[in-house]
Amino acid sequence: MVLTSVCATVLAGSAVVGAGASHAEPTDTPKASTPATAQLPARLVSLTKVSPLESMAEVYSGAMGKNIQLNILRPAAADTPAPILYLLNGAGGGEDSATWRAKTDYQKFFADKHVNVVTPIGGAFSYYTDWQRDDPVLGRNKWQTFLTEELPPILDKALNATGANAIAGISMSGTSVFNLAIAKPKLYRSVAAYSGCARTSDPLGQAYIRTVIGDRGRGDITNMWGPTDGPGWRENDPYLHASALKGVKVYMTSGTGLPGRYDTLDAPLIDGNPAVLLDQVVMGGLIEAAVRGCTTQMEQALKTAGVDTTIVSRPLGTHSWEYWEQDLQTTWPMIAKDLGTK
């Protein structure tokens, strides 16, 4: 397809609109390999209230050997057990300015919702997965272990949670949410992918990942899942394992890439800047058009596998934050029902 070749070519030299991470600088020499030592257990390091409805936490990850920061929105009735929505950032992992906190009014939206909203700060260009090898630039990434094994029991206790969980992600993490749910069956009641591409082992999916990890993050994609023609990529392709999502509610959203209501000079995040608008319309449009193709393929695979799937197909819209905020608000009533809250 012409679109496929165009997107793969353009993506190879561009920044992904909305995912919003700055380029990481390459290092001249690889990091020394980590010596084999006993792994310390994961634990809650701190939990600090920064406002009546917002807290910051630090959780030590034994798998990665470091503290991970978490931004947490708490319900007004925090003494009453509430479920958890894990809401992931895009390619920048929250280490940049392109975050749910900075780019949306999600705090206001969730202020009257009885749910804990947990967003990790970290994981830039990691795809929130367990990498096979430490990367000289991106370091040690064992995010699947952290998010599915280490973190949930700690937060269930610290937040007085109900044990009901859902997970949602945008762009890069719109791929990750599927693999996280497949890796830990029954952990999440529902999964939402906003403008994510569920394909990872086909040429277009790998071109997208190469752009995120290699061109933007300066990492080596073979350190993630091994050689691109190897089994690691097929094992982490949600499209090929759609049947493993049976029992989970799936929500997917995407636009067509055609300019919409938020692709104008007077849109809040454009703020009258023609260069920002051009990038969002051209690059964001191409990326979102490719994402629509991924979404259609994944929809077919999920329905063939008998997975309860809801698709929100926007007739307009690029790969950008204001559409993802809209998607979150559109899917929340369904996710809330899955979680037994409102």
Side-chain angles (χ1 to χ4, degrees), residues 87-121:
L87 186 62
L88 305 183
N89 287 306
E95 300 175 32
D96 55 7
S97 62
T99 66
W100 285 102
R101 193 174 191 274
K103 296 293 186 181
T104 75
D105 283 332
Y106 90 128
Q107 294 163 298
K108 181 179 180 181
F109 177 74
F110 281 109
D112 62 348
K113 313 295 190 292
H114 192 66
V115 63
N116 298 288
V117 182
V118 175
T119 302
I121 308 300

Side-chain angles (χ1 to χ4, degrees), residues 116-295:
N116 298 288
V117 182
V118 175
T119 302
I121 308 300
F125 316 114
S126 71
Y127 270 83
Y128 290 110
T129 189
D130 282 1
W131 286 43
Q132 292 183 2
R133 295 181 297 275
D134 293 356
D135 187 82
V137 175
L138 300 179
R140 173 161 295 181
N141 286 299
K142 297 292 182 182
W143 286 93
Q144 180 176 292
T145 295
F146 177 69
L147 290 170
T148 64
E149 300 290 345
E150 296 181 324
L151 186 59
I154 291 172
L155 289 187
D156 282 350
K157 181 178 180 180
L159 302 181
N160 187 29
T162 62
N165 305 296
I167 189 166
I170 60 164
S171 193
M172 178 191 83
S173 62
T175 303
S176 309
V177 292
F178 291 117
N179 281 329
L180 292 167
I182 290 169
K184 190 68 172 181
K186 300 183 179 180
L187 176 59
Y188 309 109
R189 295 187 179 183
S190 54
V191 170
Y194 308 134
S195 296
C197 184
R199 296 306 312 270
T200 64
S201 64
D202 73 328
L204 181 57
Q206 290 186 344
Y208 189 99
I209 292 171
R210 185 176 288 107
T211 300
V212 174
I213 294 176
D215 295 343
R216 299 186 61 207
R218 301 294 190 261
D220 183 345
I221 64 171
T222 65
N223 286 330
M224 184 167 71
W225 294 325
T228 54
D229 60 351
W233 288 79
R234 293 187 294 275
E235 290 168 1
N236 288 278
D237 190 331
Y239 173 81
L240 300 179
H241 303 282
S243 61
L245 290 164
K246 290 190 73 170
V248 179
K249 299 284 186 66
V250 173
Y251 307 98
M252 291 189 294
T253 71
S254 65
T256 58
L258 297 173
R261 60 183 295 192
Y262 301 122
D263 303 302
T264 61
L265 275 174
D266 59 355
L269 295 183
I270 301 297
D271 197 26
N273 189 324
V276 173
L277 177 60
L278 180 64
D279 187 50
Q280 183 163 303
V281 169
V282 177
M283 291 311 309
L286 284 173
I287 294 168
E288 194 69 8
V291 163
R292 172 60 69 90
C294 294
T295 300

